[in-house]
Amino acid sequence: MTSTLAMDDLLRRLRLGQLASQLPDLIEGARLQKLSYERFLATVLESELAGRDERALLRRMRSARLPLKARLESFDFAFQPSVSERLVQELAQGSYLETATNVVLLGPPGVGKTHLACGLAVRAIETGHTARFTTLRTLIGDLEGLGRRDVKTLRAYLKPDLLIIDEIGYSQLNADHANSLFELVTARYERGSIILTSNLSFNDWGHLLGDDVLASAMLDRLLHHAEVITINGRSYRMRNHIENDHPLTAGGGSN
Ligand code: ADP
Ligand code: MG
């Protein structure tokens, strides 16, 4: 019989180190249930696979860098009737990711744009996709002065199945920044989905980018395959401070 030590060594060399801690229980269970050799082996392999899937999920979740642990399940659609629950649930199925369709969430602060973006990202990650969250401010900081050969930084924004660019509209862009953003959107066009959130209407994008032609070229690519969700309800953050019969379209609260 193989000793525990030899077994640990074998598992480690086979890169099945995580299995070592589960093995005593699996063996005990197999004894009690009088499993056949085949059934026991299948149980062990299933346990290893489940562990790997779990670790990969955690890795994808960490590398997405989501700022909120928000899930779609905790979004109160009754509070925000301008958001179509049917559309969000349809997006949650994930087929938009296969067609590189974008999702644009528009609305004033506090209405749940970041929450919905993160909730969709969590769903995407749970169904095996990769995602990366960033704000426009962080993104342009990262892309600033990026040499053409500095592919690593760029890859972090190009490679994930889903890129979330939050808070478009809070920072005014100079010509370099506007061009970088345009190049990123162009590079992902028809290749990978972007979820974008903004407090601006599309008309203001020329001002944001400091260039009307660039803005319309960018919107053209972004909106060619896109679902736009315009939220014009009250700020959830302010819900306890405002009377229900005084709806506020531009809620308070910092973003
Ligand atoms: P925005 O990005 O539009 O400014 P957030 O998504 O950051 O708004 O929402 C602000 C806070 O309120 C977050 O903690 C979010 O989870 C919560 N929130 C917003 N809308 C809802 C909602 N309809 N149901 C539940 N929580 C919400
Ligand atoms: Mg937000």
Side-chain angles (χ1 to χ4, degrees), residues 110 113-115 166-167 197 237 255:
K113 302 182 297 299
T114 305
H115 186 130
D166 199 22
E167 298 185 358
T197 84
R237 292 191 189 101
N255 225 51

Side-chain angles (χ1 to χ4, degrees), residues 132 146 150-160 188:
R132 172 65 188 264
L146 206 63
D150 192 356
V151 284
K152 205 168 154 224
T153 310
L154 202 57
R155 210 187 298 135
Y157 294 118
L158 289 178
K159 213 172 150 233
R188 287 191 68 95

Side-chain angles (χ1 to χ4, degrees), residues 68 70 74-80 107-116 166-167 170 197 231 234-237 239 254-255:
L68 290 180
S74 63
F75 191 82
D76 182 354
F77 287 93
F79 181 82
Q80 213 57 269
V111 293
K113 302 182 297 299
T114 305
H115 186 130
L116 287 172
D166 199 22
E167 298 185 358
Y170 287 92
T197 84
I231 315 178
R234 294 182 293 129
S235 164
Y236 194 81
R237 292 191 189 101
R239 69 193 179 287
S254 67
N255 225 51

Side-chain angles (χ1 to χ4, degrees), residues 18-122:
Q18 303 275 342
L19 199 55
S21 59
Q22 262 117 50
L23 215 49
D25 282 349
L26 291 172
I27 291 171
E28 184 58 21
R31 264 201 204 105
L32 289 173
Q33 296 176 57
K34 299 193 170 51
L35 294 189
S36 65
Y37 294 127
E38 288 86 346
R39 199 57 231 135
F40 172 62
L41 182 59
T43 310
V44 170
L45 295 177
E46 279 161 12
S47 163
E48 169 60 17
L49 202 60
R52 278 188 195 189
D53 287 349
E54 179 71 23
R55 291 192 294 281
L57 175 70
L58 286 174
R59 250 195 323 275
R60 289 199 304 280
M61 201 65 101
R62 259 197 310 273
S63 60
R65 303 188 190 187
L66 302 178
L68 290 180
K69 297 228 180 314
R71 300 186 60 94
L72 293 179
E73 289 82 352
S74 63
F75 191 82
D76 182 354
F77 287 93
F79 181 82
Q80 213 57 269
S82 60
V83 178
S84 157
E85 182 169 4
R86 189 196 51 74
L87 175 58
V88 173
Q89 294 307 346
E90 189 187 311
L91 289 169
Q93 303 295 311
S95 62
Y96 75 104
L97 295 161
E98 313 305 332
T99 53
T101 296
N102 300 322
V103 178
V104 182
L105 294 157
L106 302 176
V111 293
K113 302 182 297 299
T114 305
H115 186 130
L116 287 172
C118 289
L120 285 171
V122 169

Side-chain angles (χ1 to χ4, degrees), residues 65 67 114 132-144 157 163-185 194-200 204-210 214 218 222 255:
R65 303 188 190 187
T114 305
R132 172 65 188 264
F133 180 99
T134 186
T135 60
L136 180 60
R137 187 189 295 271
T138 305
L139 177 70
I140 56 181
D142 280 355
L143 298 182
E144 193 155 38
Y157 294 118
L163 175 68
I164 298 123
I165 309 177
D166 199 22
E167 298 185 358
I168 292 204
Y170 287 92
S171 350
Q172 190 78 35
L173 305 190
N174 65 30
D176 275 354
H177 295 159
N179 277 314
S180 298
L181 182 63
F182 177 74
E183 281 185 28
L184 181 64
V185 167
I194 301 176
I195 297 182
L196 212 146
T197 84
S198 181
N199 60 340
L200 298 181
D204 298 325
W205 281 49
H207 182 64
L208 170 81
L209 300 179
L214 192 72
M218 186 151 99
L222 271 174
N255 225 51

